[in-house]
Amino acid sequence: MPLPIGIHDLSFATGEFALPHTILAAHNGTEIGKYHVGIGQESMSIPAADEDIVTLAATAAAPVVARHGSERIRTVVLATESSIDQAKSAGVYVHSLLGLPSATRVVELKQACYGATAGLQFAIGLVQRDPAQQVLVIASDVSKYDLDSPGEATQGAAAVAMLVSADPGLVRIEDPSGLFTADVMDFWRPNYRTTALVDGKESIDAYLQAAEGAWKDYSEQDGHALEQFAAFCYHQPFTKMAHKAHRHLLNYCGHDTQGDDVTRAVGRTTAYNRAIGNSYTASVYLGLAALLDQADDLTGRRIGFLSYGSGSVAEFFGGTVVAGYQDRLRTEANIEAVSRRRPIDYAGYRELHEWALPDDGGDHATPRQTTGLFRLSGISGHKRLYQAC
Ligand code: HMG
């Protein structure tokens, strides 16, 4: 019997502000049904000027460290595609803000929205080597497209922190994994740009092809049949994508896609993403949080995960929900993280979209906006300055 390893705890944080899609629709003359029904989004998180992937990551991880202590955490993996530095890992700032022991290995991972899943799998390998150790895997991203582009409606921001350990308290991650990589230019962000470039239609096709490829490999590795899963957490750039992807897999496997099957399989995973928007690496695990928070008892049930990162890499794997998981959920805090956001008007959103830290090497304080646990207080000599609030 292999040692059970998986997600022991999960906590998330999101940005200070929320832009309702009704406001974006009123600005650009879009029929609101396209956002609410067509892409399945109600609002998107907008970080304050003094928030970034570091403050989001630290805010997500602080409750995990508070609950479990840091004695067993010997590795921190921070996955992001909205990196703040080409050399220094954002995880090192988080390690400092959380007061983690110096005897810790810290690293940043990148492959678009897939990075956190690589982090989770690498963490499982480390725990297998020494089951006494725990790994803190953090996914933290801010999704930003050009103003007035089709991608604008699919922005968002969030961080998810997961503690990976032996005898996990929430979900035991299983073998095998189905893997898929293809070199496609569906979505990318060159180093000189703050906003992503995307071919929207091609990106949806690339996602579906990758989901199919990962599923095919999963089946060839003797994975379980679709019917053996109680629900599916898909990467959600917008929540309708989870429906599209599941319908695609059902069709690929020769199943009927009429009726409520798709909604039953993915509906409960979309609640947080629908309000937060695309949180890139964090999105598939926000789906897990929503599912665990809302579903009837899932003890012993198997969940399917499909992680996709443009460019592209995908992985399909299963996890079984463990007994007693309901006592370890953070449902109240999760709902609070979403509902505490302050609504922002269009002018305020646009100002934040255009706001950037000065790059002249001088001393600059950031406006005090966040009401979160940590803030980016400024920049001095090209060094970001962080503080606990
Ligand atoms: P668009 O051109 O604005 O929208 O692009 P559309 O015309 O395709 O309409 C969207 C849907 O709304 C359609 O439904 C319409 O029929 C429907 P579908 O045909 O797809 O089922 N619609 C309506 N429904 C109800 N009432 C109405 C109405 N009007 C239209 N009145 C797009 C949309 C998502 C492509 C765009 O926002 C975009 O480019 N987003 C960014 C790219 C993206 O999210 N791609 C997803 C796959 S790639 C991925 O997931 C990776 C990613 O997360 C990055 C990473 O890995 O790092 C992006």
Side-chain angles (χ1 to χ4, degrees):
M1 177 84 174
L3 178 72
I5 301 175
I7 304 170
H8 191 48
D9 194 5
L10 187 158
S11 156
F12 76 77
T14 187
E16 178 71 17
F17 299 109
L19 180 72
H21 277 78
T22 45
I23 289 187
L24 186 63
H27 163 76
N28 62 20
T30 297
E31 157 62 37
I32 192 61
K34 174 171 169 179
Y35 293 156
H36 286 175
V37 182
I39 60 169
Q41 290 303 133
E42 293 280 341
S43 60
M44 48 199 185
S45 289
I46 307 293
D50 51 351
E51 290 179 325
D52 67 4
I53 56 156
V54 168
T55 65
L56 292 177
T59 305
V64 174
V65 174
R67 185 185 275 180
H68 304 278
S70 57
E71 296 75 24
R72 293 174 60 193
I73 299 175
R74 286 184 56 84
T75 304
V76 176
V77 177
L78 193 147
T80 187
E81 58 173 296
S82 10
S83 201
I84 53 159
D85 195 290
Q86 291 294 337
K88 181 165 174 161
S89 163
V92 173
Y93 295 104
V94 176
H95 172 275
S96 162
L97 287 170
L98 297 178
L100 298 180
S102 61
T104 310
R105 165 195 294 126
V106 181
V107 72
E108 187 168 309
L109 284 186
K110 176 181 71 183
Q111 174 31 53
C113 301
Y114 166 75
T117 297
L120 175 62
Q121 296 294 358
F122 297 166
I124 289 169
L126 286 170
V127 174
Q128 220 147 29
R129 199 169 73 169
D130 177 5
Q133 297 185 17
Q134 298 177 322
V135 180
L136 183 59
V137 177
I138 310 174
S140 187
D141 266 311
V142 175
S143 160
K144 214 169 160 187
Y145 294 93
D146 284 343
L147 291 167
D148 301 318
S149 69
E152 186 181 17
T154 59
Q155 300 173 113
V160 170
M162 295 181 282
L163 191 63
V164 176
S165 78
D167 294 319
L170 297 177
V171 179
R172 192 174 67 239
I173 302 298
E174 299 168 344
D175 275 341
S177 267
L179 305 173
F180 180 85
T181 290
D183 182 5
V184 289
M185 290 303 281
D186 58 330
F187 166 106
W188 67 108
R189 183 169 69 81
N191 286 345
Y192 49 82
R193 286 183 62 96
T194 56
T195 51
L197 295 164
V198 65
D199 178 335
K201 304 288 178 236
E202 187 181 341
S203 73
I204 293 173
D205 283 350
Y207 181 132
L208 296 178
Q209 287 315 309
E212 184 181 313
W215 173 261
K216 186 167 173 287
D217 185 53
Y218 178 75
S219 304
E220 287 167 4
Q221 308 293 320
D222 287 333
H224 298 281
L226 274 187
E227 308 79 80
Q228 292 173 278
F229 293 88
F232 295 81
C233 297
Y234 287 89
H235 165 53
Q236 294 173 37
F238 49 92
T239 65
K240 248 318 168 44
M241 192 68 221
H243 293 253
K244 280 182 194 291
H246 195 60
R247 192 170 296 112
H248 187 83
L249 282 194
L250 284 171
N251 278 327
Y252 177 76
C253 296
H255 292 285
D256 186 10
T257 52
Q258 303 301 310
D260 298 334
D261 288 2
V262 175
T263 306
R264 248 198 314 275
V266 304
R268 289 203 175 84
T269 69
T270 61
Y272 298 140
N273 285 297
R274 193 174 169 83
I276 287 172
N278 194 355
S279 55
Y280 289 160
T281 47
S283 115
V284 65
Y285 301 102
L286 282 180
L288 173 62
L291 175 70
L292 296 179
D293 283 349
Q294 295 177 94
D296 298 337
D297 190 5
L298 283 168
T299 304
R301 308 291 303 278
R302 180 171 293 115
I303 299 170
F305 295 84
L306 188 281
S307 180
Y308 174 72
S310 283
S312 71
V313 176
E315 178 162 347
F316 185 95
F317 60 99
T320 300
V321 181
V322 304
Y325 80 96
Q326 281 149 319
D327 301 334
R328 299 167 194 125
L329 295 178
R330 300 179 177 274
T331 311
E332 238 173 77
N334 292 346
I335 292 169
E336 167 73 6
V338 175
S339 63
R340 73 185 288 278
R341 296 172 307 163
R342 292 186 276 155
I344 193 165
D345 62 13
Y346 186 78
Y349 152 68
R350 206 172 169 109
E351 202 176 306
L352 278 174
H353 194 284
E354 284 167 351
W355 193 86
L357 274 181
D359 60 6
D360 59 9
D363 296 340
H364 302 278
T366 48
R368 189 174 278 276
Q369 294 180 340
T370 183
T371 55
L373 297 179
F374 302 98
R375 64 183 295 270
L376 167 65
S377 56
I379 189 160
S380 173
H382 297 293
K383 294 173 193 148
R384 285 183 184 231
L385 306 172
Y386 293 98
Q387 61 180 211
C389 298

